[in-house]
Amino acid sequence: MAEMWISMGPQHPMTHGLWTLKIKVDGETVVDTVPDLGYIHRGVEKICESRDFTQITTYCDRLCYASANTWSHSYIYAAEDLLGVEVPERAEYIRLIAVELQRIASHLMWMGAYGPDTGNLSVMVWCLREREMMMDLLQELGGSRMHYNFPRIGGVKRDLPHGFAQRARSKLELFLQRIQEYEALFDESTVFLVRTQGVGYAKAEEMVNHGVSGPNLRAAGVNYDVRWAHPYSVYSELDWEPPVERSSIKGADCYDRYRVRVEEMRISALLTLQALDKMPGGSDTYHEPGDPKLLAKAPSRAPEGTSGYHHFEDSRGESMFYIAGGGEARGKNPYRVSIRSPMFITIPYASKCMIGYKVADIPAIMGSFDPCIGETDR
Amino acid sequence: MQKEAAEKTASAISRIKGSEAEVVERSSGTSPRWTISVKCNPENWRGLAEKLHSTHQVDYCSMITGIHWPEGPSEKKWEVVYHFLRTGVKNPPEIDGVQQPIITDPTSVKGKMVPLEIEVSIAIPDTRTPSVPSIQDLWVGADWNEKETWDLVGIDFEGHEGMRRVLQPHETPTGYHPLQKHHNLRYHGFEEMYDDAQGFSRKPDDVGKVK
């Protein structure tokens, strides 16, 4: 049969955002793919050059609408490296709680979208129900529901509110029980298993060479995690291990990538509970905003010729900021801010993974990599 | 542990032609971390990259950043900064047809398995056509990073196959790279805004400005 090109997107349920996947098909089989990105490129890197270090946090929140906190924290660590700020330990614990709760919310959003991708519509409603609990907790911390603007250079905006620890514990314990409901919903659905098992194989070494990291890599049977291999924040003081999936010998398929995210939500919840217990000063005490236990003093200008960067474990892989300091001429602005988006690198790889499978497998494969176009296009 | 491995690798990299490496202590919230910072010439970059990939087992290209320094010294008008990680990831072994996950503890690994962060910066002298050799064939992860750097900053990568616009529209004029410093975000200050006869806020025309 003659081969032909089909454009999936920019308006297609598979895309999870605005982008086009051009596929070359031979009958029902995918022969070649070309991803085409940039539909919502907003020029964040250029905008950052004319904003000062504090203002940039707000733009970083808006990089990803499903995982805002991880992106602003990723920027903050790079800025602190550039400005040479040492963060109070209590603030680090609060940040860890904010990031891990966000990771759960982001994975729930992914799971809610992946259900309909694979013909399991009720999952979406169930996942949004639990996501609401995480959003309520994050709203207590940051004050808003989507773009929290929570971290500050040198610490956090405010302390845990009164009663937060108790509410977080009861909600997370309930959540840990409800994870079993999702597992039952997915693992006992024949349709889901048929559509995800044996589809979209990806091998560990190949993924590393292609720059794919995070849950997608851990699904292939290696426990590489930036939080684990290059410990930042207070992750090395907590008792945990990154989740690993026992995949098949051909590599990780879509089902393994689903499993590893379920395990990751469980571990994020346990990390949050541990952090609430181990927090210096206790999780029930409250400090006014700006207290030295929450916020260290930070310089507002970076000397010329300095640079800072930090690798960070985002919900979708390794995110990273590189900031070049501007010197006197640039005032309080950085000279150049560069953003490493995990999905920008993963989408070309995911598109290669589809070659050889059927057109009907594309939503299952693409969805399992958890694309977020907000951060991809920046 | 990580510091020793970083120092050992840095001294080995320094012996490669045209590159100087040092160990830099960087902060990471409350704890320090040791990274390797390498300076290299554009001519020797390809040789260094091959050594990093084969001898030092640097397996993960994280990010490529292009910087335009129009006010800088003439030997550094452009800069390309590469960030690599050594992850030590291997395909999990197979026993009786069942894959065995690799569970490593990063504090106990030795030799070339120790996770490292490596930064390579390459200064390019004053030129209208900045370019460095491509490393697309060594790390496939560098492929789209190189495309993006050319698209936004205008630094070309010799030997890169399939260079095209990735974030900007395909019909963007040739030679337009918005992160070069002569492109401004806004050409007029807010004080230049005026109200027209209908009371709408207007700004002066951008006619004649380089867009």
Side-chain angles (χ1 to χ4, degrees), chain B residues 115-126:
Chain B
L116 283 182
E117 299 173 35
I118 298 166
E119 179 186 57
V120 182
S121 68
I122 299 169
I124 306 174
D126 198 2

Side-chain angles (χ1 to χ4, degrees), chain A residues 167-356:
Chain A
R167 284 190 291 278
R169 281 197 190 99
S170 61
K171 279 179 178 170
L172 286 170
E173 269 152 29
L174 180 63
F175 173 71
L176 284 170
Q177 292 168 18
R178 287 201 174 157
I179 287 184
Q180 295 166 3
E181 293 184 9
Y182 308 134
E183 286 178 320
L185 205 55
F186 274 123
D187 289 344
E188 291 174 21
S189 156
T190 318
V191 176
F192 179 76
L193 298 181
V194 167
R195 293 203 61 180
T196 54
Q197 284 182 334
V199 170
Y201 284 119
K203 283 205 159 194
E205 278 176 28
E206 195 188 42
M207 275 197 268
V208 165
N209 192 16
H210 279 72
V212 180
S213 52
N216 297 327
L217 175 62
R218 287 193 286 280
V222 289
N223 68 342
Y224 185 79
D225 188 318
V226 183
R227 295 173 288 173
W228 177 250
H230 306 271
Y232 55 89
S233 187
V234 284
Y235 283 105
S236 51
E237 287 165 34
L238 302 177
D239 179 26
W240 72 290
E241 274 190 12
V244 183
E245 199 47 47
R246 184 190 292 265
S247 60
S248 85
I249 49 176
K250 285 187 192 166
D253 60 6
C254 296
Y255 181 72
D256 295 324
R257 286 190 279 274
Y258 142 74
R259 285 295 322 160
V260 84
R261 284 197 175 86
V262 173
E263 285 306 318
E264 196 158 291
M265 284 197 283
R266 195 171 273 142
I267 284 181
S268 289
L270 294 174
L271 271 171
T272 315
L273 289 172
Q274 265 192 58
L276 284 169
D277 291 340
K278 283 200 179 176
M279 185 180 287
S283 53
D284 293 327
T285 49
Y286 180 78
H287 302 84
E288 289 301 319
D291 190 284
K293 281 185 179 146
L294 296 177
L295 193 62
K297 284 218 163 23
S300 57
R301 288 160 195 265
E304 196 159 352
T306 52
S307 65
Y309 68 94
H310 199 280
H311 299 274
F312 190 89
E313 183 76 21
D314 182 51
S315 333
R316 291 169 178 75
E318 179 236 340
S319 73
M320 173 182 172
F321 276 77
Y322 173 82
I323 309 173
E328 279 307 305
R330 305 287 296 183
K332 294 177 178 175
N333 301 349
Y335 193 79
R336 171 90 165 87
V337 177
S338 180
I339 306 168
R340 194 242 186 213
S341 149
M343 280 333 280
F344 182 72
I345 310 297
T346 308
I347 282 181
Y349 178 70
S351 310
K352 277 185 197 167
C353 268
M354 291 166 190
I355 295 173

Side-chain angles (χ1 to χ4, degrees), chain B residues 34-50:
Chain B
W34 287 275
T35 64
I36 301 173
S37 177
V38 188
K39 285 197 167 34
C40 184
N41 314 322
E43 305 84 56
N44 299 109
W45 163 230
R46 184 70 205 184
L48 171 65
E50 278 163 12

Side-chain angles (χ1 to χ4, degrees), chain A residues 206 208-211 345 348 352, chain B residues 45-46 49-50 53 58-61 64 80 82 84 132-150 156-164 166:
Chain A
E206 195 188 42
V208 165
N209 192 16
H210 279 72
I345 310 297
K352 277 185 197 167
Chain B
W45 163 230
R46 184 70 205 184
E50 278 163 12
H53 187 257
V58 176
D59 47 6
Y60 182 92
C61 174
I64 302 176
V80 188
Y82 294 81
F84 295 100
V132 286
S134 168
I135 51 166
Q136 187 193 26
D137 52 330
L138 299 174
W139 295 275
V140 188
D143 181 355
W144 277 55
N145 274 313
E146 289 183 355
K147 284 188 174 62
E148 183 206 332
T149 308
W150 172 77
D156 200 10
F157 292 88
E158 285 160 44
H160 182 104
E161 281 177 28
M163 187 63 92
R164 63 183 173 95
V166 279

Side-chain angles (χ1 to χ4, degrees), chain A residues 9-297:
Chain A
Q11 310 285 346
H12 189 280
M14 171 279 297
T15 56
H16 290 218
L18 275 182
W19 64 288
T20 302
L21 178 67
K22 291 179 185 139
I23 52 168
K24 190 183 191 183
V25 290
D26 179 3
E28 278 286 306
T29 311
V30 181
V31 189
D32 197 5
T33 54
V34 179
D36 186 5
L37 304 171
Y39 283 80
I40 51 169
H41 177 55
R42 292 145 288 169
V44 173
E45 293 177 2
K46 186 79 180 175
I47 296 172
C48 289
E49 288 173 12
S50 60
R51 300 289 187 275
D52 68 37
F53 288 110
T54 324
Q55 289 172 318
I56 294 173
T57 326
T58 332
Y59 285 92
C60 298
D61 259 345
R62 279 143 184 83
L63 281 171
C64 179
Y65 39 80
S67 183
N69 248 338
T70 53
W71 276 97
S72 47
H73 282 78
S74 177
Y75 161 72
I76 287 289
Y77 278 107
E80 280 165 359
D81 180 23
L82 170 69
L83 300 168
V85 184
E86 191 166 325
V87 188
E89 206 180 346
R90 185 179 173 85
E92 286 279 60
Y93 274 92
I94 298 175
R95 281 182 188 182
L96 186 141
I97 291 169
V99 168
E100 294 306 324
L101 286 175
Q102 180 71 76
R103 203 183 304 276
I104 300 177
S106 170
H107 283 347
L108 281 172
M109 190 72 228
W110 165 79
M111 209 182 215
Y114 197 48
D117 275 351
T118 51
N120 202 342
L121 201 64
S122 45
V123 177
M124 173 138 196
V125 192
W126 289 36
C127 288
L128 292 185
R129 180 187 65 185
E130 265 68 69
R131 183 167 173 266
E132 201 63 24
M133 301 198 303
M134 303 303 149
M135 302 291 276
D136 286 346
L137 291 174
L138 287 168
Q139 186 182 358
E140 284 189 41
L141 288 178
S144 64
R145 283 177 56 83
M146 199 170 182
H147 300 303
Y148 314 97
N149 196 15
F150 182 60
R152 293 283 183 273
I153 297 174
V156 289
K157 182 158 71 176
R158 59 171 92 103
D159 206 346
L160 302 180
H162 290 295
F164 176 88
Q166 190 221 333
R167 284 190 291 278
R169 281 197 190 99
S170 61
K171 279 179 178 170
L172 286 170
E173 269 152 29
L174 180 63
F175 173 71
L176 284 170
Q177 292 168 18
R178 287 201 174 157
I179 287 184
Q180 295 166 3
E181 293 184 9
Y182 308 134
E183 286 178 320
L185 205 55
F186 274 123
D187 289 344
E188 291 174 21
S189 156
T190 318
V191 176
F192 179 76
L193 298 181
V194 167
R195 293 203 61 180
T196 54
Q197 284 182 334
V199 170
Y201 284 119
K203 283 205 159 194
E205 278 176 28
E206 195 188 42
M207 275 197 268
V208 165
N209 192 16
H210 279 72
V212 180
S213 52
N216 297 327
L217 175 62
R218 287 193 286 280
V222 289
N223 68 342
Y224 185 79
D225 188 318
V226 183
R227 295 173 288 173
W228 177 250
H230 306 271
Y232 55 89
S233 187
V234 284
Y235 283 105
S236 51
E237 287 165 34
L238 302 177
D239 179 26
W240 72 290
E241 274 190 12
V244 183
E245 199 47 47
R246 184 190 292 265
S247 60
S248 85
I249 49 176
K250 285 187 192 166
D253 60 6
C254 296
Y255 181 72
D256 295 324
R257 286 190 279 274
Y258 142 74
R259 285 295 322 160
V260 84
R261 284 197 175 86
V262 173
E263 285 306 318
E264 196 158 291
M265 284 197 283
R266 195 171 273 142
I267 284 181
S268 289
L270 294 174
L271 271 171
T272 315
L273 289 172
Q274 265 192 58
L276 284 169
D277 291 340
K278 283 200 179 176
M279 185 180 287
S283 53
D284 293 327
T285 49
Y286 180 78
H287 302 84
E288 289 301 319
D291 190 284
K293 281 185 179 146
L294 296 177
L295 193 62
K297 284 218 163 23

